[in-house]
Coordinates of all heavy atoms in Angstrom, one line a residue:
Chain Z
A516 N -24.2 -24.4 -31.3 CA -23.9 -24.1 -29.9 C -23.3 -22.7 -29.9 O -23.6 -21.9 -29.0 CB -23.1 -25.1 -29.3
G517 N -22.4 -22.4 -30.9 CA -21.8 -21.1 -30.9 C -22.8 -20.0 -31.3 O -22.8 -18.9 -30.8
F518 N -23.6 -20.4 -32.2 CA -24.7 -19.5 -32.7 C -25.6 -19.1 -31.6 O -26.1 -18.0 -31.5 CB -25.5 -20.2 -33.8 CG -26.8 -19.7 -34.2 CD1 -26.9 -18.5 -35.0 CD2 -28.0 -20.3 -33.8 CE1 -28.1 -18.0 -35.4 CE2 -29.2 -19.8 -34.2 CZ -29.3 -18.7 -35.0
R519 N -25.8 -20.0 -30.6 CA -26.7 -19.7 -29.5 C -26.0 -19.1 -28.3 O -26.7 -18.7 -27.3 CB -27.3 -21.1 -29.0 CG -28.3 -21.7 -30.0 CD -29.5 -20.8 -30.2 NE -30.8 -21.5 -30.4 CZ -31.9 -20.9 -30.7 NH1 -32.0 -19.6 -30.8 NH2 -33.0 -21.7 -30.9
S520 N -24.7 -18.9 -28.4 CA -24.0 -18.3 -27.3 C -23.9 -16.8 -27.5 O -24.3 -16.3 -28.6 CB -22.6 -18.8 -27.2 OG -22.6 -20.2 -27.0
G521 N -23.4 -16.1 -26.6 CA -23.1 -14.7 -26.7 C -24.4 -13.9 -27.1 O -25.3 -13.9 -26.3
D522 N -24.4 -13.3 -28.2 CA -25.6 -12.5 -28.6 C -26.8 -13.3 -29.0 O -27.8 -12.8 -29.3 CB -25.2 -11.5 -29.7 CG -24.4 -10.4 -29.2 OD1 -24.5 -10.1 -28.0 OD2 -23.6 -9.8 -30.0
R523 N -26.6 -14.6 -29.1 CA -27.7 -15.6 -29.3 C -28.5 -15.3 -30.5 O -29.4 -14.4 -30.5 CB -28.6 -15.7 -28.1 CG -29.4 -16.9 -28.2 CD -30.3 -17.1 -27.0 NE -30.9 -18.4 -27.1 CZ -32.0 -18.6 -27.8 NH1 -32.6 -17.6 -28.4 NH2 -32.6 -19.8 -27.8
G524 N -28.3 -16.1 -31.5 CA -29.1 -15.9 -32.7 C -30.4 -16.5 -32.6 O -30.7 -17.3 -31.7
V525 N -31.3 -16.1 -33.5 CA -32.7 -16.6 -33.5 C -32.9 -17.7 -34.5 O -32.4 -17.6 -35.6 CB -33.7 -15.4 -33.9 CG1 -35.1 -15.9 -33.8 CG2 -33.5 -14.2 -33.0
L526 N -33.5 -18.8 -34.1 CA -33.8 -19.9 -35.0 C -35.3 -20.0 -35.3 O -36.1 -20.2 -34.3 CB -33.2 -21.2 -34.4 CG -33.6 -22.5 -35.1 CD1 -33.0 -22.5 -36.5 CD2 -33.0 -23.7 -34.4
I527 N -35.6 -19.9 -36.5 CA -37.0 -20.1 -37.0 C -37.1 -21.3 -37.9 O -36.3 -21.4 -38.8 CB -37.5 -18.8 -37.7 CG1 -37.2 -17.6 -36.8 CG2 -39.0 -18.9 -38.1 CD1 -37.1 -16.3 -37.6
T528 N -38.0 -22.1 -37.7 CA -38.2 -23.3 -38.5 C -39.5 -23.4 -39.1 O -40.5 -23.2 -38.4 CB -37.9 -24.6 -37.6 OG1 -36.7 -24.4 -36.9 CG2 -37.8 -25.8 -38.5
V529 N -39.6 -23.7 -40.4 CA -40.9 -23.8 -41.1 C -40.9 -25.2 -41.6 O -40.1 -25.6 -42.5 CB -41.0 -22.8 -42.2 CG1 -42.4 -22.9 -42.9 CG2 -40.8 -21.4 -41.7
E530 N -41.8 -26.0 -41.2 CA -41.9 -27.4 -41.7 C -43.2 -28.0 -41.3 O -43.9 -27.6 -40.4 CB -40.7 -28.2 -41.1 CG -40.7 -28.2 -39.5 CD -39.4 -28.6 -39.0 OE1 -38.4 -28.8 -39.7 OE2 -39.3 -28.8 -37.7
P531 N -43.6 -29.1 -42.0 CA -44.9 -29.7 -41.8 C -44.9 -30.6 -40.5 O -46.0 -30.8 -39.9 CB -45.2 -30.6 -43.0 CG -43.9 -30.8 -43.6 CD -43.0 -29.6 -43.3

Side-chain angles (χ1 to χ4, degrees):
Chain Z
F518 165 76
R519 289 300 213 183
S520 305
D522 285 333
R523 194 175 186 279
V525 182
L526 173 61
I527 306 154
T528 310
V529 180
E530 55 197 10

